[in-house]
Structures are given as structure tokens and as C-alpha cells.
């Protein structure tokens, strides 16, 4: 090879006490020992709340019951310089139905996968068949450890020959020798010494050997049967030591206390090999015929032991040609006769041992490492990423969906918009929210491009305006939550509630197709909120307020604009002490803009271009507010900070072909890890709006492309490749969780969808034609510092 081959193994790993952990460790060392130019690393699987002091080759860990960790591992693999992934697969290693969590990882990586299958099921239940077939699709090569498994893959799962590789389970190379030296070393007795080892569980069938021993012991009273191994951790967790206690009770009942010894411990590899070398006979009385591989049996073969075993698949194959004795399942007499035969016929026993030992030479780890490296080389040579990996989002439409208001109208009654649904049916017990109504007005006014459209939406807008007028308190603030009984549930809402109400009212005021009456009412409500707007302290409340005030200021709204209306409607005038003039609104607007800049300067640092030490919710609205402030004032500081923070959000969430929105399970702090779930579609909607504002401000095509990609988050361009928008109903699901899509189809997601759709619709032709020569997906985004430099230079 002309360059170093880098292999990334996935499996349990030492010091975890399990057979696959030991296998992964031995396989890694055998592969890396083949050639100096092979570098190996490990992604280790842990049980819940399990921690280990891993060796340095472990570069990533997965807590196997956390789906999010599998997604993170996929990201890690894609960003690593690994050439190939070698997966150790056993259904029980991974969480989910038939271990299907692993597919969150496999479906997201762009490296060839070589899968070592530690289990193959001949007659699988439907979920295990589906899981196996999926594993086959995602694997470049399948490695199995017996010819029986090869035939099973071909017959049961229709796997082509060229995809299957048969490589034996590895074993350590020890010389052929007698047992006395190792018995003395371990202070073991037994003439003969019979051994069964491995993590203890009921499938081991040890009781069948116990039942056979009384007749053998009556002739050979010095015989010792050593059962070596701790109880399997999962068995111990669910059943305690019930099986071990059952075996010990049976020993007492059979009078075998002097002949059966239990060593309840997990032994390290070197000590284990010494125990095997000390034994005269290895007993493998497994109860399940479907056992497709056994590391314990492999070790016994390679060390030249006389072997008695039940005829499970792996044993049948490995012990053929007189390399051991097979006894039918549950045949106590057969075990007795086989043990007596080996004890009483030393020449035949020694010949059997030699045959097993000679066969085992092809299974030494040195040879196994060479075979795996050959498979790796073949896989790399012929690997072509599947179309799914090359273009995971080829199911997306090539045009924007039409505006479909059915679901929004379904959620809206004569009071307001119901917050949530139960399987798409409005859930009345959740009531209404000013937050939704305020943003709903933004969405509706953005959809209006003609007098006809205004008339179509008049009833919805009037209902929402009626709600806000009723929700406003005497201080100018707003209640937020109203029950279905039309009772407000709070004294007043949060600062965000005020900001969202002003956001919606500002859009009503600036919409030229709405009647003067409804625009005057909106202006009146905003004017009543002046004192509350001046007192705002939270950044997002300020940003929402700025977006609403920008619409008012952009439309050049002041007291003179409504003079004729107010003169004819004295009651309306009396509802406000006096109209607030344009200078007052402008002062509030600029004060909040300066506050955002101050927070940015106070919290920014290297690799953290953000307003706060944590990225939380409604993030892009902060950047958009400053971009709008630049549009109104032409103060380049606002543009610099607005674009820098928007670019930071892009770097934080853009994965190269989809947006991975900051999840709300802990948010994302500057010294922490970005949570993946739960992802809220409001963030994608706000990103789309902010990118469109940035594009309209600086005319850089990348912002238009990003606007399309962030909008397509709703259509399936997301981590789970799951469409959240329902074309048939116009509903939008409420988020992406670790276990899939949140099926609530409430007010917030559909409103944010419309806000994003309206923003992008203004440039739909450009957005789709721009992607014929994409800059974001192929060339990648410029780094944040270069963006800042460019923005400052302009």
C-alpha cells in the first residue's frame, strides 16, 4: 500500500468483560501487526452508565441505549481520516428493535463497512430478518466464521457469494504440550481435569455434564470439573445468581462437592489460556443448536484439547474429521460414555488432540489478521458509495410547495389558534397562546400580495387581531396563555410574548392591502406597549420587537399617517393617551440594536461568534434583527455583527448537505457539546428568514442557497431524512426527537413553515436556478474569519 491504511473498529472493547470485547481487541492487534502502515482505532460500546478506563486506541464511545450517540458516531466517522470501518455485529450489542439503533450510524456514514457477523439466524423472527437484511445492505463485505454461516447467508438471506468472506475466529498460538506444568502453575487438581469456561448463563447447559458425572466419578474419584467464569452481566442484572445457585444445589444433590469447582470470576486472556492449557478435557454442552460461533471452542481447538460438545452448528463443523466428540442435546448417557472413552483411551484421545491442534494453526491471530487485511484491500478497491450516501436527499421536490391553509384554518376557531393537536386533531385542553397569534399575523401578512389575497385572509387576521386586543393588559403588556374556557392563565406573559405580539402587529401595520381600521388598531396596541418595550431585558424579546418595529419604520408609519382615521373614530383615539411618534419607535429600535451588539462584543471569543455563552432557541431571529437594523440605518456595525452571528449559526448547524439544528436537550454552550435532539422546526423557519434578509442585504448567493436548504429541513433535508410537512393536509410536525418525529402538528410549526415559505417564495426562481452551480454543497462554506473579513471590508 502506498499510504497508511486506517481502520476504525466498532464493538465492545477491553477492559469490558465480554467475549466480543476480547475478540475486538485481538482482531485489532492482529490487523495492526500485519504491517507497519496499518493504523487502528476503536469506537467502543458501553452499557448504560458504564465507564471504563480505555486504552488510547479508543477514540469515541457510544452509550448503546442513546440513539443520539450513534448519530454522533456517524459524524465522527465522516470527519475522521479512517479508510474503512470494521463492525462487530451481535444483535444484543445495540439497543432498539433487534439492535436497530446501529442503523442510525450505518445509514449516515460514507466509508466502506466490513461487518463481522457473530450471529446468523436460520429462522429469524420478522424484526430480526429485517435487521439482518438492512445490515447486509449497509455492508460492503460480510465476514462469518464458519461455512455453515456462509450457506445460511446465501440460502436464507440471498446474499451473493462475492459479498461473503469466511474467516475463522482467531486464537493465540501456543505450543502443543501436556497439562501438568500448567496445573502446577495454577495449583489445580484433577485427574482428569475437565473445563467449561465463559460467562455463565443458562444456555451453557452445564447441568447436563453434572448429571453425567456420578457414574464417571465412581470409577475416577480424582476427577475435577472446573466451571470457570463470572455470571453474564446482563443475566446477573435481571436474574441475579439464580442459575449458579441452581447448579450448586444440583452438585450437592448429586454428591459431587469434592469433584465440581466453581471459579466465579472473569479471567484475563493470559490467565484464561493457562486454565485451558491445564485442562485435560474441554466440555462444551451448549443447549442451542443455533450457535454459529464459539470463541471458547475455538481456543480449546487451537490449544489441542480433547473436546466433548453438543452438536451446535459451529461445533459440528469445527469438530468434524475426528477432532472431537459430539453428544446429542440432553443426552446424559452420551456425555458419560464420551468422557469415559477419552479417559480410558489415552492414545485415541491424544490423536484427537493432535488433529484439533493442527487444524487450529490456520486460525491463529497472525493468519486471521492477514485475511482481514486482504478483505479490507478488496473492499476499498471496489467500493463505490451508494446513491443513497452520495445524494441522501434526492427525494426532495424541485420546486416549493403551494400555500395550503387547511391545517391553519383547522386550528383556528372564533377565539384564536389552538396551540397543539393530538394526532392532527386540535387538542382544546391546551388552549391558545399570544405567542402563536403574534407570529401567525406575521405569517398571514407575508402571504398577502394582492387585495384578493387580503380578502381571503381577512377573517383569520381579524380573529387574531381580536385575540391580541383582548390579551393586552392595562400596562400595555400581553397575557400569553388562555384556556379553552376563554380564561387567561397568567398575569402577563414573558418578555418574549410581548416581542412576538409586537412582531405580528408591526407586520399588520406595514401591510398595504389591509384596511386602515385594522392597521390603526395594530398601531394603537403597539403604542400602548411603548413603556413595556423600553423595559425589555431579554435578547430575543428585543429581537422580536425590533423585527416588528422595523416593519413600522420601513413603512414610514407615524401619527400623521392615521390622523384622518383617528379624527373620524374618536373612541379609538381615547383608547390611547397619545399616539407615539416615529422618533420614539426609532429610539427603542436603535436602543435594542445597540444592546444586541454590546452583548455580542461581551461574549464573543475565538471560535464563538455569538451573543451569549449558550446557543438556545429562536437563534436566527437575533441575527436577522441586526441585519434589518443595518437596512434601516446603514450602520455597518449592525451588518457586521448580524452576518457574523448568522455565519456562526451556519457553521454550528450545517452538515454539508443538511442542517443539524441545535437540540433543546441541554442547548449548546461554548464549552460543551451540541445536543442533537430535540430539534424544533421553528429554528429552520427562522434561519430561512434570516438568510433571505442577508441575501437581500449583501446579495451573496450562498445565503440564498442556505435559505433553500434550511427551508427544505421541513421537507426532509434533516438528520432523520424525515419530511415534517404533510402535503395532503398542510400540517407540519413539531420536531425531531431521538426516536423519530414528534407527531404533534400544532400552531408553531405550521406558522414558522409559512413564514419561511413566504420569505423564500420571493426568490424562488433564483433559489432553484442557483443550485445548478452550488457553492455551499460542493465548495463548502468559507471559514467564519474570512466571512468577517469580507463583511468588514465591504
Amino acid at each position: 500500500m502506498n499510504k497508511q491504511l486506517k481502520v476504525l473498529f466498532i464493538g465492545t472493547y477491553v477492559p469490558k468483560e465480554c467475549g466480543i470485547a476480547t475478540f475486538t481487541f485481538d482482531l485489532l492487534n492482529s490487523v495492526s501487526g500485519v504491517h507497519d502502515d496499518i493504523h487502528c482505532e476503536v469506537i467502543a460500546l458501553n452499557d448504560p452508565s458504564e465507564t471504563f478506563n480505555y486504552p488510547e486506541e479508543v477514540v469515541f464511545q457510544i452509550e448503546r441505549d442513546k440513539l443520539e450517540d450513534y448519530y454522533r458516531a456517524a459524524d465522527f466517522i465522516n470527519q475522521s481520516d479512517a479508510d474503512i470501518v470494521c463492525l462487530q455485529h451481535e444483535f444484543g450489542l445495540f439497543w432498539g428493535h433487534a439492535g436497530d439503533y446501529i442503523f442510525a450510524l450505518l445509514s449516515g456514514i460514507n466509508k466502506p463497512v466490513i461487518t463481522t457477523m457473530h450471529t446468523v439466524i436460520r429462522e429469524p423472527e420478522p424484526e430480526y430478518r429485517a435487521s439482518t437484511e438492512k445490515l447486509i445492505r449497509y455492508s460492503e463485505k460480510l465476514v462469518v466464521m464458519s461455512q455453515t454461516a456462509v450457506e445460511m447467508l446465501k440460502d436464507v438471506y440471498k446474499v451473493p457469494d462475492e459479498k461473503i468472506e469466511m474467516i475463522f475466529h482467531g486464537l493465540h498460538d501456543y505450543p502443543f504440550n501436556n497439562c501438568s506444568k500448567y496445573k502446577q502453575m495454577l495449583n489445580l487438581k484433577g485427574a482428569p481435569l475437565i473445563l467449561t469456561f465463559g460467562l455463565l448463563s443458562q444456555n451453557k447447559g452445564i447441568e447436563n455434564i453434572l448429571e453425567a458425572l456420578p457414574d464417571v466419578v465412581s470409577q475416577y474419584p480424582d476427577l475435577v470439573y472446573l466451571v470457570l467464569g463470572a455470571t453474564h452481566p446482563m443475566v446477573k442484572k435481571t436474574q441475579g445468581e439464580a442459575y449458579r445457585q441452581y447448579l450448586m444445589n444440583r452438585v450437592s444433590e448429586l454428591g459431587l462437592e469434592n469433584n465440581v469447582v466453581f471459579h466465579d470470576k472473569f479471567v484475563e486472556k493470559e490467565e484464561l489460556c493457562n486454565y485451558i492449557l491445564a485442562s485435560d478435557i474441554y466440555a462444551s454442552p451448549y443447549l442451542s443448536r443455533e450457535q454459529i460461533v464459539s470463541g471458547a471452542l475455538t481456543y480449546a481447538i487451537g490449544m489441542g484439547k480433547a473436546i466433548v460438545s453438543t452438536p451446535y452448528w459451529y461445533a459440528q463443523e469445527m469438530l468434524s474429521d475426528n477432532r472431537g466428540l459430539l453428544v446429542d442435546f440432553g443426552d446424559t448417557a452420551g456425555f458419560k460414555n464420551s468422557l469415559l472413552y477419552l479417559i480410558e483411551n489415552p492414545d485415541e484421545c491424544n490423536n484427537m488432540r493432535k488433529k484439533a491442534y493442527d487444524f487450529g494453526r490456520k486460525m491463529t491471530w497472525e493468519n486471521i489478521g492477514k485475511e482481514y487485511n486482504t478483505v479490507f484491500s478488496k473492499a476499498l478497491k471496489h467500493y463505490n458509495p451508494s446513491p443513497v450516501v452520495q445524494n441522501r436527499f434526492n427525494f426532495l421536490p424541485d420546486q416549493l410547495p403551494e400555500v395550503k391553509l387547511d391545517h391553519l384554518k383547522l386550528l383556528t376557531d372564533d377565539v384564536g389558534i389552538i396551540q397543539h393537536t393530538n394526532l392532527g386533531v386540535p387538542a382544546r385542553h391546551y388552549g391558545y397562546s399570544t405567542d402563536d397569534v403574534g407570529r401567525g399575523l406575521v405569517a398571514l401578512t407575508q402571504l398577502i400580495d394582492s387585495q384578493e389575497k387580503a380578502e381571503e385572509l381577512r377573517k383569520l387576521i381579524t380573529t387574531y387581531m381580536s385575540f391580541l386586543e383582548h390579551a393586552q393588559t392595562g400596562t400595555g403588556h400581553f397575557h400569553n396563555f388562555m384556556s379553552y374556557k376563554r380564561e387567561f392563565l397568567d398575569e402577563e406573559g414573558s418578555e418574549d410574548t410581548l416581542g412576538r405580539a409586537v412582531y405580528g402587529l408591526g407586520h399588520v401595520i406595514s401591510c398595504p392591502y389591509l384596511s386602515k381600521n385594522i392597521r390603526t388598531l395594530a398601531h394603537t396596541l403597539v403604542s400602548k406597549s411603548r413603556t413595556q418595550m423600553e423595559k425589555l431585558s431579554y435578547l430575543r424579546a428585543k429581537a422580536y420587537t425590533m423585527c416588528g418595529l422595523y416593519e413600522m419604520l420601513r413603512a414610514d408609519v407615524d401619527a400623521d399617517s392615521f390622523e384622518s382615521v383617528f379624527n373620524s373614530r374618536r373612541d379609538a383615539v381615547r383608547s390611547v393617551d397619545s399616539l407615539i411618534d416615529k422618533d420614539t419607535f426609532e429610539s427603542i429600535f436603535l436602543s435594542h440594536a445597540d444592546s444586541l451588539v454590546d452583548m455580542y462584543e461581551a461574549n464573543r471569543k475565538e471560535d464563538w461568534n455569538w451573543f451569549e455563552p449558550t446557543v438556545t432557541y429562536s437563534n436566527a431571529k437575533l441575527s436577522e434583527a441586526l441585519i434589518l437594523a443595518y437596512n434601516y440605518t446603514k450602520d455597518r456595525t449592525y451588518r457586521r455583527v448580524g452576518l457574523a452571528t448568522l455565519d456562526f449559526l451556519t457553521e454550528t448547524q450545517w452538515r454539508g448537505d443538511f442542517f443539524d439544528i441545535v437540540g433543546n436537550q441541554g442547548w449548546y454552550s461554548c464549552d460543551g457539546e451540541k445536543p442533537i435532539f430535540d430539534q424544533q422546526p421553528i429554528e429552520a423557519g427562522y434561519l430561512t428568514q434570516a438568510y433571505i434578509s442577508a441575501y437581500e442585504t449583501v446579495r451573496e448567493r450562498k445565503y440564498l442557497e442556505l435559505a433553500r436548504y434550511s427551508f427544505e429541513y421541513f421537507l426532509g433535508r434533516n438528520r432523520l431524512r424525515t419530511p415534517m410537512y404533510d402535503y395532503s393536509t398542510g400540517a407540519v410536525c413539531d420536531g425531531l426527537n431521538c426516536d423519530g418525529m414528534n407527531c404533534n402538528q400544532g400552531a408553531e410549526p405550521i406558522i414558522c413553515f409559512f413564514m419561511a415559505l413566504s420569505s423564500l417564495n420571493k426568490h424562488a426562481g433564483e433559489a432553484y436556478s442557483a443550485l445548478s452551480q452550488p457553492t455551499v454543497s460542493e465548495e463548502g462554506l468559507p471559514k467564519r474569519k474570512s466571512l468577517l473579513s469580507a463583511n468588514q471590508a465591504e
Side-chain angles (χ1 to χ4, degrees):
M1 298 180 184
N2 296 324
K3 70 177 188 70
Q4 185 181 57
L5 175 67
K6 296 187 177 180
V7 183
L8 186 59
F9 290 88
I10 302 175
T12 50
Y13 202 68
V14 296
K16 183 178 176 67
E17 298 176 352
C18 84
I20 291 183
T22 304
F23 180 91
T24 308
F25 175 81
D26 289 332
L27 178 59
L28 179 147
N29 284 283
S30 70
V31 167
S32 60
V34 170
H35 198 283
D36 291 340
D37 284 339
I38 300 174
H39 178 71
C40 297
E41 294 178 333
V42 179
I43 292 179
L45 289 153
N46 301 325
D47 284 321
S49 304
E50 190 176 56
T51 58
F52 293 105
N53 184 21
Y54 283 117
E56 64 180 6
E57 60 265 27
V58 175
V59 293
F60 195 95
Q61 297 179 46
I62 294 174
E63 193 165 324
R64 66 191 188 98
D65 67 331
K66 290 186 177 179
L67 186 61
E68 186 166 329
D69 281 5
Y70 294 85
Y71 286 114
R72 288 192 189 285
D75 295 339
F76 175 86
I77 293 168
N78 289 334
Q79 294 166 21
S80 76
D81 56 358
D83 297 299
I84 203 158
V85 174
C86 185
L87 171 69
Q88 305 309 305
H89 186 270
E90 161 66 54
F91 294 104
L93 283 186
F94 314 106
W95 223 255
H97 298 293
D100 65 358
Y101 273 24
I102 188 59
F103 301 117
L105 186 157
L106 295 180
S107 65
I109 63 175
N110 53 11
K111 315 271 184 177
V113 176
I114 309 301
T115 297
T116 303
M117 299 184 70
H118 292 260
T119 297
V120 183
I121 305 174
R122 186 186 295 276
E123 297 178 356
E125 295 295 326
E127 66 268 28
Y128 285 94
R129 174 178 284 279
S131 188
T132 302
E133 290 174 346
K134 215 169 183 180
L135 182 69
I136 292 166
R137 289 199 303 273
Y138 283 122
S139 301
E140 190 73 11
K141 292 279 188 180
L142 301 168
V143 176
V144 290
M145 302 181 214
S146 66
Q147 193 58 41
T148 304
V150 172
E151 298 307 318
M152 212 179 301
L153 285 178
K154 292 194 292 187
D155 295 344
V156 179
Y157 300 98
K158 310 305 178 187
V159 182
D161 285 343
E162 61 271 15
K163 196 164 192 170
I164 307 171
E165 301 285 345
M166 206 285 278
I167 303 178
F168 288 116
H169 189 297
L171 56 87
H172 297 281
D173 196 4
Y174 283 87
F176 187 79
N177 52 56
N178 60 40
C179 311
S180 56
K181 168 185 170 184
Y182 293 93
K183 285 181 183 177
Q184 187 174 5
M185 179 191 304
L186 297 172
N187 194 28
L188 293 173
K189 296 180 181 179
L193 177 64
I194 304 171
L195 175 68
T196 294
F197 71 89
L199 293 174
L200 196 63
S201 61
Q202 285 183 313
N203 73 326
K204 286 289 194 288
I206 291 166
E207 60 273 21
N208 290 320
I209 299 294
L210 297 181
E211 300 294 337
L213 284 183
D215 289 343
V216 182
V217 168
S218 66
Q219 300 181 53
Y220 300 94
D222 292 333
L223 178 151
V224 171
Y225 179 37
L226 174 60
V227 179
L228 174 64
T231 301
H232 194 290
M234 296 308 294
V235 173
K236 191 170 184 177
K237 187 174 181 179
T238 57
Q239 303 172 25
E241 294 287 2
Y243 180 57
R244 183 182 298 275
Q245 190 59 51
Y246 160 73
L247 293 176
M248 294 173 70
N249 292 343
R250 194 70 188 120
V251 167
S252 297
E253 293 165 0
L254 294 169
L256 297 171
E257 293 94 332
N258 296 325
N259 302 94
V260 178
V261 177
F262 291 93
H263 278 193
D264 181 8
K265 64 176 182 177
F266 182 89
V267 292
E268 299 297 335
K269 180 174 57 184
E270 184 175 351
E271 185 181 6
L272 171 61
C273 291
N274 290 335
Y275 272 102
I276 299 171
L277 291 167
S279 65
D280 298 289
I281 298 170
Y282 172 69
S284 181
Y286 288 170
L287 298 180
S288 172
R289 185 179 300 276
E290 288 73 29
Q291 186 91 8
I292 201 67
V293 68
S294 168
L297 182 63
T298 302
Y299 278 34
I301 291 171
M303 294 181 195
K305 298 290 103 181
I307 299 170
V308 179
S309 175
T310 50
Y312 54 91
W313 291 332
Y314 188 68
Q316 278 187 303
E317 186 172 329
M318 293 296 106
L319 300 181
S320 61
D321 195 24
N322 199 33
R323 292 190 288 268
L325 299 178
L326 295 176
V327 177
D328 204 5
F329 299 99
D331 185 358
T332 302
F335 277 115
K336 177 194 76 173
N337 294 333
S338 295
L339 292 173
L340 289 171
Y341 175 82
L342 293 173
I343 296 168
E344 294 170 350
N345 297 279
D347 290 340
E348 286 85 348
C349 178
N350 200 56
N351 183 54
M352 189 179 296
R353 289 182 57 208
K354 193 68 172 65
K355 280 192 171 188
Y357 182 82
D358 290 343
F359 181 76
R361 292 319 88 209
K362 66 179 73 174
M363 302 162 69
T364 61
W365 278 117
E366 180 182 359
N367 290 326
I368 300 305
K370 291 176 182 176
E371 291 187 51
Y372 266 91
N373 275 281
T374 300
V375 172
F376 294 159
S377 297
K378 285 196 294 187
L380 279 171
K381 182 178 180 181
H382 299 292
Y383 175 66
N384 287 309
S386 70
V388 172
V389 173
Q390 288 176 338
N391 183 6
R392 295 184 292 175
F393 302 104
N394 54 7
F395 59 85
L396 290 169
D398 58 2
Q399 60 184 11
L400 294 175
E402 295 181 359
V403 174
K404 188 177 183 64
L405 294 170
D406 299 35
H407 191 68
L408 187 66
K409 291 178 179 178
L410 180 69
L411 292 173
T412 302
D413 59 15
D414 61 349
V415 175
I417 180 168
I418 293 174
Q419 289 190 77
H420 301 297
T421 70
N422 185 356
L423 299 177
V425 177
R428 296 177 176 181
H429 61 277
Y430 286 109
Y432 314 89
S433 163
T434 294
D435 289 340
D436 293 333
V437 170
R439 289 178 295 200
L441 286 171
V442 176
L444 292 173
T445 53
Q446 285 183 327
L447 293 173
I448 297 174
D449 56 6
S450 66
Q451 204 64 52
E452 292 74 21
K453 194 68 175 178
E455 184 58 29
E456 178 188 339
L457 300 179
R458 183 179 63 82
K459 185 177 187 300
L460 286 173
I461 291 173
T462 303
T463 298
Y464 294 176
M465 282 296 299
S466 176
F467 185 95
L468 290 188
E469 192 273 337
H470 183 47
Q472 190 167 43
T473 68
T475 66
H477 210 304
F478 292 85
H479 295 289
N480 191 9
F481 298 113
M482 176 189 276
S483 73
Y484 191 70
K485 295 179 180 179
R486 302 190 181 188
E487 297 171 343
F488 285 112
L489 304 176
D490 50 24
E491 292 297 322
E492 62 181 32
S494 66
E495 288 191 1
D496 282 3
T497 297
L498 176 73
R500 289 163 182 154
V502 173
Y503 185 24
L505 293 169
H507 275 265
V508 171
I509 292 168
S510 67
C511 182
Y513 299 105
L514 295 177
S515 70
K516 283 187 176 182
N517 285 352
I518 206 160
R519 295 165 66 197
T520 300
L521 177 59
H523 191 278
T524 302
L525 300 182
V526 172
S527 297
K528 281 185 66 174
S529 297
R530 173 184 63 85
T531 303
Q532 298 294 337
M533 286 190 279
E534 290 174 335
K535 295 191 301 184
L536 292 174
S537 59
Y538 289 97
L539 294 186
R540 284 155 186 80
K542 294 179 180 182
Y544 281 120
T545 299
M546 286 175 63
C547 291
L549 293 181
Y550 172 76
E551 291 298 315
M552 295 173 59
L553 296 170
R554 181 175 66 90
D556 197 24
V557 175
D558 57 28
D560 293 337
S561 304
F562 296 109
E563 185 175 358
S564 61
V565 177
F566 278 114
N567 285 338
S568 62
R569 286 164 174 76
R570 298 297 179 183
D571 291 340
V573 173
R574 295 191 194 102
S575 68
V576 186
D577 292 336
S578 62
L579 283 174
I580 310 303
D581 62 22
K582 178 178 178 181
D583 290 342
T584 303
F585 288 133
E586 189 174 282
S587 175
I588 296 171
F589 179 80
L590 296 177
S591 172
H592 292 341
D594 290 339
S595 175
L596 291 180
V597 171
D598 290 343
M599 287 296 292
Y600 169 75
E601 296 297 347
N603 286 283
R604 65 170 298 199
K605 55 186 177 181
E606 186 176 2
D607 296 326
W608 190 261
N609 263 12
W610 192 238
F611 302 94
E612 301 166 303
T614 306
V615 177
T616 57
Y617 66 96
S618 303
N619 299 304
K621 198 55 65 182
L622 301 176
S623 304
E624 183 189 6
L626 284 180
I627 294 170
L628 297 180
Y630 165 75
N631 289 341
Y632 184 70
T633 65
K634 301 307 177 187
D635 184 329
R636 301 172 77 82
T637 299
Y638 299 147
R639 187 180 78 163
R640 172 178 63 83
V641 177
L643 293 179
T645 52
L646 183 58
D647 292 338
F648 172 76
L649 288 178
T650 307
E651 293 169 26
T652 300
Q653 301 175 110
W654 175 246
R655 305 300 304 174
D657 57 353
F658 71 96
F659 276 94
D660 212 10
I661 301 300
V662 171
N664 67 11
Q665 292 184 354
W667 305 120
Y668 177 33
S669 62
C670 59
D671 56 356
E673 197 171 54
K674 180 168 78 76
I676 294 176
F677 299 110
D678 296 335
Q679 296 187 16
Q680 304 299 306
I682 182 176
E683 302 302 323
Y686 283 176
L687 274 173
T688 304
Q689 288 181 291
Y691 286 134
I692 290 298
S693 293
Y695 174 69
E696 291 174 344
T697 299
V698 297
R699 289 292 166 178
E700 289 185 19
R701 193 181 71 180
K702 71 170 185 180
Y703 290 119
L704 191 57
E705 294 179 27
L706 288 166
R708 171 181 169 176
Y709 292 139
S710 57
F711 175 76
E712 288 181 341
Y713 180 92
F714 292 98
L715 308 181
R717 188 183 286 278
N718 52 55
R719 175 173 283 276
L720 300 185
R721 299 200 295 280
T722 301
M724 307 173 76
Y725 176 66
D726 186 334
Y727 282 85
S728 63
T729 65
V732 179
C733 288
D734 199 27
L736 296 180
N737 304 333
C738 64
D739 54 355
M741 193 163 52
N742 183 338
C743 291
N744 174 40
Q745 296 176 326
E748 182 177 278
I750 185 62
I751 287 168
C752 293
F753 174 84
F754 283 135
M755 291 162 71
L757 178 60
S758 298
S759 297
L760 189 57
N761 250 331
K762 293 186 292 183
H763 305 281
E766 297 170 82
Y768 280 86
S769 63
L771 291 185
S772 60
Q773 293 181 310
T775 59
V776 175
S777 55
E778 294 182 357
E779 299 170 15
L781 287 167
K783 294 295 183 184
R784 173 175 49 82
K785 290 181 179 178
S786 64
L787 280 166
L788 281 173
S789 300
N791 294 333
Q792 288 167 338
E794 292 178 6

